[in-house]
Every structure is written in structure tokens, then in C-alpha cells.
Amino acid sequence: MRAVLTVSRGGLDKEACERSVGAFGRWIRERFNEVAVYHAFSDARVIRELRRRGIHADGVQEALERIRTDGYMSVFVQPTHVMDGKENELMMEELDARVGYGCFTAVNVGRPLLCDRQDCQRAAGALAEAFSCAGDGDKGTAVLFLADSPGKGAGRLCRRLSAVFSELGRKDLRAAAGDDSSGVLEALSSLEAGGADRIAVQLLSFTAPEGDEISARIAGILADVRKRAGDRAEKMEVHSTGKGLGEYEEVRRIYGENLRVLLQQEGSFRV
């Protein structure tokens, strides 16, 4: 048996976590023999709020201690973070600390969803498949994939995603980083030019936040865009898909392939 630890930012919506984190855990168990699957959240604020509500969720350190107590001396970590941003860096610091203390002989770490151009190519294809009918089949509705917690090079990676969507002939799909209001406006304008009169925002997050939190995040980002675009942006009808990326089989498959590579090489990999 080998220990596999999936690490996500986490979320407060229990059902959303089950449809994403829980579904990915089941995906792993169904496809990999002799693995014990553990889960951890990397966002300390989410963990604190869950505990305030009387719900226990392991942080990275707790999950590693649980794995060590169960007798495993090495662990395969597959983050479900979208980019190599703050959450992934914090996870790496906690993992490195455990290795430094000699708790494990090896900690093997997989890739997040988006690290380079090749990842963008693969992810764009999966997202185009998952959103074969943009906006859940609502004609005239396009989808904006929005990185609301951008990592290093988020703007560049989102522009690359948009470029691949164009190459695939998908005028109804674009991506942008939330801290790049010019990029968001450019993406919205491109979708509008492609014939969309309604835009569904899909947060680039493995697990969907609670409904009110989704609305607040999107509203905050669009408020800055509307300052730049004025009346034109006010006319855009924008809403959320209400889902996390982990709810789509096509996306889970990419993370699963990253884990498959990790299990085959059995060597430390640093993103």
C-alpha cells in the first residue's frame, strides 16, 4: 500500500467539497491499486471557520501526522491547486518542514493544473470538452474562466488558455486573472464580440466557495472592470456557474494523470 495525500485550498460548502475533493478521492481509489487516500486543506482560514462551525478538516501537517501514525514512511502528494501560487507555496513549506524533521524518507509532490504552456494546452482541451455547450447548454451564454486567487504568471497562463480556446474554434470560452482588470475586460469584450449576450463565470478553483462568497468575489473583480469600461460593462449580464473545477470529470482526469506520473517515477518533484 502507498499513501496518497490530495491537498486542496478547501471550502466551506460541504456538498461542494464532496462533489470535488470527495469525487477525486473516489476517482483515485477506482483507478489505482493498493493506495490509501488522505485529504488535507491548505487554507488556514477555511480550516478555522470549519472548526468554528464544529466541522473537523485536516490541515497539511495533521494529515501528514495521520499518515505517519498509520505507518507510512513515504507519501505521494497531489495538489489540486490550479496554479503554483500562494496556497501551493504554503503547502510546499509544510511538506519541506516534515522532511527536514526526518518524519518521512520521501515526500513526492505532483504538479498543479497549470504550470507551463503544455499544461495550458491540455487543460484548455479538457475545459472545452467539459463545457462542450457553454453555460450548461444555454445558447448565447459564454464562459469566462476567472483566476480569483492568481499565482505567479497567472495573467500569462490565462492568456495562453484563451489563445488555445481560439485555436480550438471556441469563441465562447476565455480566461483571465482576477487581479488583471485590463485582461478581464479584454476577455469579456472578446466573448461579447463572439456573440455572447450572457457570461457565466467559472472560478479557477477546484472547490466552489459558498454561494455568497462566489458572488462577492466576482462582484469585487467586476467592479474594478466597470470603472474602466463604464456603461458598456454595466450592460453585460454576468453570473456564476456555481461549480468548482473538481466537479468536472475532464478536469479530475488531468490531476489523476499527474498523480499517475508521480506514482510511476517515485522521486521527489518540486513544482
Side-chain angles (χ1 to χ4, degrees):
M1 290 285 287
R2 292 179 289 182
V4 170
L5 172 64
T6 67
V7 181
S8 68
R9 181 179 178 182
L12 301 177
D13 186 320
K14 182 178 179 180
E15 292 184 359
C17 286
E18 178 58 28
R19 294 193 304 266
S20 53
V21 176
F24 186 43
R26 290 190 295 274
W27 192 98
I28 294 172
R29 293 184 185 95
E30 290 169 0
R31 290 163 177 80
F32 297 98
N33 295 325
E34 298 186 347
V35 296
V37 182
Y38 299 79
H39 304 290
F41 288 173
S42 58
D43 191 326
R45 292 169 298 178
V46 170
I47 294 173
R48 284 196 298 269
E49 177 59 23
L50 286 173
R51 289 178 180 173
R52 189 186 70 80
R53 300 180 185 185
I55 303 170
H56 178 80
D58 279 347
V60 174
Q61 293 285 354
E62 289 171 302
L64 289 172
E65 180 59 26
R66 191 182 303 278
I67 291 169
R68 188 188 69 81
T69 300
D70 287 346
Y72 296 99
M73 293 305 296
S74 64
V75 57
F76 296 85
V77 181
Q78 179 55 56
T80 62
H81 304 134
V82 175
M83 299 180 185
D84 184 18
K86 180 180 178 181
E87 293 300 328
N88 214 58
E89 292 171 355
L90 290 173
M91 177 197 74
M92 292 301 300
E93 290 175 5
E94 293 193 79
L95 294 174
D96 287 337
R98 280 283 171 165
V99 173
Y101 288 134
C103 297
F104 293 97
T105 56
V107 176
N108 308 279
V109 187
R111 299 169 70 91
L113 185 67
L114 300 174
C115 289
D116 55 30
R117 288 173 62 90
Q118 185 176 355
D119 290 340
C120 287
Q121 197 83 22
R122 184 173 56 160
L127 293 172
E129 182 182 350
F131 290 82
S132 55
C133 293
D136 291 328
D138 186 2
K139 188 175 181 180
T141 299
V143 178
L144 172 64
F145 297 96
L146 190 62
D148 70 319
S149 298
K152 296 177 291 188
R156 173 179 53 80
L157 291 170
C158 286
R159 286 191 294 274
R160 181 56 190 162
L161 277 177
S162 290
V164 179
F165 289 143
S166 294
E167 293 169 5
L168 295 172
R170 296 300 299 271
K171 297 180 180 180
D172 56 345
L173 304 177
R174 290 295 182 269
D179 61 349
D180 177 12
S181 55
S182 295
V184 175
L185 179 58
E186 179 182 344
L188 290 172
S189 299
S190 177
L191 293 171
E192 189 179 36
D197 49 28
R198 295 175 300 281
I199 296 171
V201 176
Q202 172 62 61
L203 293 180
L204 287 174
S205 175
F206 192 77
T207 301
E210 287 185 306
D212 291 343
E213 186 182 353
I214 294 178
S215 300
R217 289 189 192 180
I218 294 174
I221 292 170
L222 293 182
D224 188 36
V225 172
R226 285 173 173 143
K227 287 179 184 177
R228 292 171 173 263
D231 293 340
R232 185 160 139 269
E234 290 292 344
K235 297 176 182 178
M236 297 176 182
E237 183 183 330
V238 181
H239 64 278
S240 168
T241 65
K243 295 182 178 180
L245 290 180
E247 296 183 42
Y248 299 97
E249 165 70 17
E250 296 85 354
V251 176
R252 293 196 297 270
R253 196 161 57 225
I254 292 181
Y255 286 107
E257 286 304 313
N258 288 347
L259 176 59
R260 188 186 305 279
V261 170
L262 188 67
L263 291 170
Q264 288 173 347
Q265 68 185 28
E266 299 214 15
S268 295
F269 178 79
R270 290 292 182 260
V271 295

